Amino acid sequence: MRVGIVGVGPMGQAFAENLIKAGFSVQGYDVDPKRVEEFKERGGEAVDSPAAVAREVRWVITSLPKSNVVRDVTLGPGSIAEGAEPGLIVVDTSTSLPQESRSLGADLAARGIRFLDASVSGTGATALEKDVVVLAGGEKADFESCRPLFEGFSRKAYHLGPLGSGAQAKLAINVAVVGNRLALAEALIFGIKAGMEPEALLAVLKDGSSYSRAMDLKGKKMIQGDFTPESRLGASVDGCALLLEQGRQLGAPLFLTSVYAQIAQAGVQMGFGDADPASLIEVLRMMAGLARRG
């Protein structure tokens, strides 16, 4: 019941907190000293490298922004591979392209390290409530070995097939997520421009056939102009780049994702890169002739 985490940002912090509550001992590492201090305040044990994270644990979770960073911390100098003990399973919760997960899994297998691409659907805020879903690809036996871990920080975990399956499922979910956010922002601006009261408008949107979970997570933030970050608009632009690249490789059209990416990029240029993705509504507000907030 001892686990390591590399990357204790908002999502990693939430994993750690819930795992500690579930009775796990958690040791972690991050390049950001501030995050390390927050991790320690939540009851985690800080160590000084990814290699140290991997020592004397059954599982290592990686929660990192990009697949190249995941590769560096798993196989580079001072990496997880250097500290790994027999039977270690690396559980990558980052968002990656499926082919990158397959390649990393093969390279780790050559070193005797087991691997699951276990993308997580949710945000740092929902993760604190254990309201996230694990989407895993890899060997079924490895998935079963990780069940206690997943039960510690998520509400449900799915095994979806071989390596890369979890990453592909997360990308598919994100296509729907960005489309729902954009549709919500457009509907709100459409109604507000017509003189509707925003709170009442959001209530009827949520109570009809238009409902999506984006309305619960981002609706109030959009109408109140509260862009305190649960994730970052700039990161969602990077995420869209992954979606569009995978769409290109598959030959699958992603029209809404393309539009969202352009609007989100405009929001970044307006200074909302570090704000919550709900801030994309400000681009539409200005296009509609409404005053900018924030």
Side-chain angles (χ1 to χ4, degrees):
M1 297 293 283
R2 188 169 183 83
V3 60
I5 298 181
V6 179
V8 289
M11 192 71 82
Q13 297 272 3
F15 296 159
E17 182 169 313
N18 284 309
L19 287 167
I20 291 167
K21 288 178 181 177
F24 287 80
S25 297
V26 183
Q27 58 194 39
Y29 170 79
D30 199 285
V31 295
D32 185 337
K34 181 179 179 182
R35 289 178 172 178
V36 171
E37 288 304 312
E38 292 172 351
F39 171 69
K40 289 163 64 176
E41 290 170 5
R42 293 177 186 266
E45 175 189 341
V47 295
D48 61 5
S49 69
V53 166
R55 295 190 182 109
E56 299 182 359
V57 300
R58 183 177 177 185
W59 310 278
V60 171
I61 297 170
T62 54
S63 179
L64 298 162
K66 294 184 178 180
S67 57
N68 64 311
V69 180
V70 178
R71 176 168 283 275
D72 286 345
V73 304
T74 51
L75 292 169
S79 67
I80 291 167
E82 292 185 5
E85 299 183 3
L88 179 72
I89 304 177
V90 174
V91 178
D92 179 31
T93 65
S94 311
T95 301
S96 302
L97 292 174
Q99 55 269 33
E100 292 168 345
S101 295
R102 289 191 288 268
S103 174
L104 179 57
D107 291 341
L108 287 171
R111 298 188 180 219
I113 299 170
R114 298 145 74 187
F115 179 70
L116 290 176
D117 67 294
S119 297
V120 171
S121 179
T123 67
T126 61
L128 281 172
E129 305 299 322
K130 280 186 67 174
D131 187 14
V132 294
V133 174
V134 176
L135 313 161
E139 294 292 333
K140 184 65 181 292
D142 294 342
F143 175 81
E144 293 299 332
S145 294
C146 290
R147 275 200 183 276
L149 184 71
F150 297 147
E151 289 171 358
F153 70 81
S154 73
R155 63 178 169 84
K156 192 155 188 177
Y158 292 89
H159 180 252
L160 297 169
L163 281 177
S165 302
Q168 181 60 49
K170 176 62 182 296
L171 296 180
I173 286 173
N174 284 356
V175 169
V177 166
V178 299
N180 284 333
R181 287 178 185 167
L182 179 56
L184 172 60
E186 285 194 354
L188 289 172
I189 294 300
F190 182 71
I192 289 168
K193 279 290 288 188
M196 295 186 69
E197 195 278 318
E199 293 279 357
L201 173 58
L202 179 60
V204 296
L205 288 171
K206 291 171 70 172
D207 202 30
S209 59
S210 62
Y211 172 76
S212 71
R213 199 163 183 223
M215 295 176 185
D216 295 329
L217 298 175
K218 302 302 179 187
K220 282 192 174 182
K221 295 178 78 67
M222 285 186 178
I223 64 176
Q224 294 173 357
D226 171 16
F227 305 136
T228 304
E230 295 173 350
S231 57
R232 295 172 50 253
L233 186 64
S236 77
V237 173
D238 294 338
C240 282
L242 287 181
L243 301 181
L244 294 169
E245 172 58 20
Q246 186 69 354
R248 184 191 68 79
Q249 292 190 26
L250 294 173
L254 295 174
F255 297 115
L256 284 177
T257 304
S258 298
V259 174
Y260 177 96
Q262 293 298 311
I263 295 172
Q265 183 61 59
V268 170
Q269 296 303 311
M270 290 166 57
F272 290 103
D274 289 326
D276 191 88
S279 60
L280 71 91
I281 195 172
E282 294 306 294
V283 180
L284 301 184
R285 281 180 64 90
M286 295 184 70
M287 293 174 69
L290 297 171
R292 169 177 170 162
R293 304 166 297 175

